[in-house]
Structure formats: C-alpha cells, structure tokens
Amino acid sequence: IRKFLSFNARKKRFSALPSGIIPDVIAADIAKRYPSQQPYKIEKEMGGYEIDIPGYDLYYSSAGKFIRAEIDR
C-alpha cells in the first residue's frame, strides 16, 4: 500500500499552508532555516516529505530530519 498526501496552497501568489498540515518538527526547522519564507506546498510519499517554499524544494525524512534543499527552477 502506498500512502500519498499532497496539499498545494499556491494560487496567483504564494499562500502559506494552514497550520497543522506540516509536522511540528519540520515547521520549526523551516522557520529556523528560512525565517522569511512560508511553505506553500507539501507532498508526503514513502520515505519522507517534499515541501516547497519560494525558491526552494526542501526534503525531509518521515521522522522530520532535514535531508537537502534544491533550488526551485
């Protein structure tokens, strides 16, 4: 069984995701690393999360450990 969750708050402009959508440990890490950016998209697939903020795609493990950031092209 494959579990998949996707939530996109992007409209004409970037809209922040509602609170509670992103696990607390990940939300805290994003706030620390990128204090001026708000996540607008999250995808959960087997093995972890992909979270988009303006300019970057962020990758986290299922446990909430930061893996890497990629420049959004």
Side-chain angles (χ1 to χ4, degrees), residues 1-56:
I1 297 175
R2 183 174 181 196
K3 294 182 180 181
F4 176 80
L5 167 71
S6 180
F7 189 91
N8 189 346
R10 186 176 184 179
K11 297 179 183 175
K12 290 182 181 178
R13 300 181 127 204
F14 297 108
S15 298
L17 293 172
S19 63
I21 297 289
I22 298 175
D24 291 341
V25 67
I26 295 175
D29 186 67
I30 292 171
K32 181 180 173 185
R33 291 174 189 269
Y34 305 94
S36 64
Q37 302 293 350
Q38 293 292 318
Y40 65 87
K41 181 178 176 186
I42 182 171
E43 293 184 21
K44 181 176 186 335
E45 295 184 349
M46 189 181 306
Y49 296 89
E50 177 184 340
I51 300 172
D52 295 355
I53 62 173
Y56 295 94

